[in-house]
């Protein structure tokens, strides 16, 4: 089930349409895979209002239900989400601890 990982990714992006564009671009069929989507295209796919900067969880899941191809497997989507998720080895603030000084 891809939903928990998708939900984690969605929450990490705060529902920003720019982030959705990255995901949708990675899910696009060849030869468009990985190419940036124009904002208008992202809004059309998510069915948001023109100029919207955010989208809802239900808009994302409906978009994916409409748009996924038979070649999009749970494993391939999971891998894309892992690549798009921010690193988890840092604290909530996104800062890492300072390097330790070694005294000889």
């Amino acid at each position: 089930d891809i939903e928990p990982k998708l939900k984690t990714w969605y929450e990490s992006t705060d529902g920003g349409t720019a982030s959705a564009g990255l995901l949708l671009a990675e899910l696009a069929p060849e030869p468009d895979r990985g190419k940036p989507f124009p904002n208008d295209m992202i809004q059309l796919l998510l069915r948001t209002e023109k100029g919207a900067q955010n989208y809802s969880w239900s808009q994302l899941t409906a978009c994916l239900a409409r748009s996924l191809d038979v070649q999009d497997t749970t494993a391939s989507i999971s891998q894309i989400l892992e690549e798009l998720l921010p690193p988890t080895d840092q604290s909530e603030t996104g800062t890492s601890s300072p390097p330790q000084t070694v005294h000889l």
Side-chain angles (χ1 to χ4, degrees), residues 8 12 81-96:
T8 298
S12 76
L81 289 169
E82 286 177 19
E83 292 169 4
L84 294 176
L85 274 168
T88 56
D89 60 345
Q90 295 180 344
S91 69
E92 288 289 322
T93 61
T95 59
S96 57

Side-chain angles (χ1 to χ4, degrees), residues 55-93:
Y55 62 96
S56 69
W57 169 249
S58 62
Q59 286 171 311
L60 175 64
T61 56
C63 171
L64 293 178
R66 286 189 307 271
S67 305
L68 288 180
D69 190 82
V70 293
Q71 296 174 346
D72 292 319
T73 64
T74 300
S76 67
I77 297 168
S78 181
Q79 181 178 353
I80 290 168
L81 289 169
E82 286 177 19
E83 292 169 4
L84 294 176
L85 274 168
T88 56
D89 60 345
Q90 295 180 344
S91 69
E92 288 289 322
T93 61

